[in-house]
Amino acid sequence: MNTNLPVPEPVRVVQLPDGTYTYTDRLPAPQVVPQQIVQHIHQAPPDRTVQRVALGSGVGAGAVAAGVYFGPLLVGALTAIAANLALLAFLAVALTWGVVTVVRSVGGTDGQAAPKSLTKTRR
């Protein structure tokens, strides 16, 4: 060991594999490989019961993808159709009530008898 080298208090002198001496604070820094972090960010998972049944029965991935894509579209279309039918039913009831009210008020005795005769014919 070379005694001519001044040794600071917290730092030591070490011998390298090639035989030379150096201070420990001058050693090359070890190469640290950065840690790879894999982070998965998901939305709320959809209900995959139908897809699992389809895959279990041998249906291909294309059919499963079509079910995932067209399933919500079908629900939306059926909801729109149901809303339209409900609106039409409401309009039919309102118009029927309006016609019956007008016939009763304008028709005199014949207008009063018309709903009764219709009720009798339906029975």
Side-chain angles (χ1 to χ4, degrees):
M1 184 161 134
N2 189 351
T3 57
N4 296 335
L5 294 174
V7 178
E9 288 291 323
V11 181
R12 299 179 326 163
V13 176
V14 293
Q15 184 177 13
L16 296 176
D18 63 355
T20 59
Y21 293 93
T22 187
Y23 294 110
T24 55
D25 63 344
R26 297 188 187 196
L27 289 174
Q31 296 295 328
V32 178
V33 178
Q35 182 181 4
Q36 184 177 9
I37 298 173
V38 179
Q39 185 176 11
H40 298 282
I41 300 172
H42 297 283
Q43 295 176 344
D47 181 21
R48 294 192 175 97
T49 305
V50 174
Q51 288 82 8
R52 287 186 182 126
V53 169
L55 286 174
S57 64
V59 174
V64 173
V68 170
Y69 181 76
F70 290 113
L73 286 177
L74 178 63
V75 170
L78 292 177
T79 303
I81 291 170
N84 288 337
L85 289 177
L87 180 64
L88 289 175
F90 175 75
L91 286 175
V93 168
L95 290 175
T96 304
W97 174 80
V99 168
V100 168
T101 303
V102 169
V103 167
R104 281 185 180 170
S105 63
V106 174
T109 57
D110 291 335
Q112 299 290 333
K116 293 178 185 173
S117 64
L118 282 175
T119 305
K120 289 179 184 177
T121 59
R122 287 186 185 161
R123 288 184 186 175

